[in-house]
Amino acid sequence: RRAVQNFMFKLFREYAKDKTFFVSFYNIGAVEKLRSLRTSRIGQLTSFTGTITRTSEVKPELLYATFGCLACNYEIRDVQQQFKYTEPPLCPN
């Protein structure tokens, strides 16, 4: 959004000073079905249609973690996480 604001401010300084601008794309070509959306389209402008029937929060998944021992400051790297937050039971140092 900042790029659009800067562009309009350069062209129309007084008009754009107190305004907010948004960009919309129309008629960009082929419309794909939502079910046919694949990872090969990442990084490309894509138009798709579909019906949203359910939504949920996206939760990040922690795969590996690094911990620091509070007693000796030893750093324990690449502790594998298995479906839940897992701290090392003992300091290996």
Side-chain angles (χ1 to χ4, degrees):
R1 183 163 44 170
R2 186 178 297 160
V4 175
Q5 296 297 123
N6 291 342
F7 177 77
M8 291 301 291
F9 190 74
K10 285 180 184 176
L11 292 180
F12 310 102
R13 185 175 303 265
E14 284 302 311
Y15 177 75
K17 177 169 44 174
D18 300 335
K19 304 233 184 315
T20 302
F21 298 94
F22 298 92
V23 174
S24 296
F25 297 96
Y26 294 93
N27 301 322
I28 63 169
V31 176
E32 298 183 30
K33 292 184 178 180
L34 192 55
R35 289 188 180 270
S36 68
L37 195 59
R38 300 289 179 252
T39 56
S40 62
R41 303 295 289 179
I42 291 176
Q44 299 177 7
L45 183 61
T46 305
S47 178
F48 53 88
T49 60
T51 302
I52 298 173
T53 57
R54 181 179 7 178
T55 63
S56 64
E57 182 181 352
V58 176
K59 296 180 181 177
E61 181 180 356
L62 178 63
L63 300 177
Y64 294 95
T66 299
F67 295 91
C69 178
L70 297 176
C72 67
N73 291 328
Y74 181 75
E75 193 172 84
I76 307 160
R77 294 179 173 266
D78 298 327
V79 177
Q80 188 172 8
Q81 305 295 301
Q82 299 175 343
F83 305 110
K84 62 178 183 159
Y85 177 75
T86 309
E87 291 185 9
L90 297 170
C91 177
N93 190 11

